[in-house]
Amino acid sequence: MQTYILLVNFTDQGMRKIKDTIGRADAFKEMAKKSGATIKVLCWTIGRYDVIAVFEAPDDESATALAFSASSLGNVRSEILRAFSFEEMSGILAKMV
């Protein structure tokens, strides 16, 4: 499994329905399960992003499909990042020429 970070901002629609954010988070977790992904961390934040999720997925395509699925509902816009563990980064650096 690969690790991803999802940076989320609420849309105007999402802010109008902010009281539903906990329910939407639960629905996102279920959506992740159906995509073969596992949510590791889900936090509401203050600052540039409204929510940050850390999750594992089998591949880039599955991770991207999950992000698209969540955004397509109209409550959020998201940016996805591929994250590398210490071990993965060590392997990457070992391959440098």
Side-chain angles (χ1 to χ4, degrees):
M1 294 288 262
Q2 299 173 2
T3 302
Y4 299 87
I5 299 169
L6 192 65
L7 305 172
V8 177
N9 285 348
F10 294 126
T11 61
D12 288 342
Q13 174 181 307
M15 282 305 298
R16 281 192 303 274
K17 300 177 182 179
I18 192 65
K19 289 186 177 183
D20 298 334
T21 191
I22 299 296
R24 290 195 308 255
D26 286 337
F28 176 68
K29 289 177 185 177
E30 287 302 313
M31 192 182 295
K33 275 187 198 176
K34 291 178 183 175
S35 298
T38 303
I39 306 300
K40 296 294 184 181
V41 177
L42 184 82
C43 298
W44 286 261
T45 58
I46 298 172
R48 184 173 176 183
Y49 298 99
D50 298 312
V51 176
I52 294 176
V54 178
F55 67 97
E56 291 181 344
D59 51 49
D60 291 345
E61 293 81 4
S62 298
T64 303
L66 175 60
F68 284 172
S69 295
S71 294
S72 72
L73 299 174
N75 294 303
V76 298
R77 297 202 189 292
S78 63
E79 179 179 345
I80 191 169
L81 306 171
R82 170 70 165 93
F84 298 95
S85 68
F86 182 91
E87 293 79 17
E88 289 171 318
M89 193 60 181
S90 294
I92 291 167
L93 296 175
K95 291 181 180 186
M96 289 182 66
V97 294

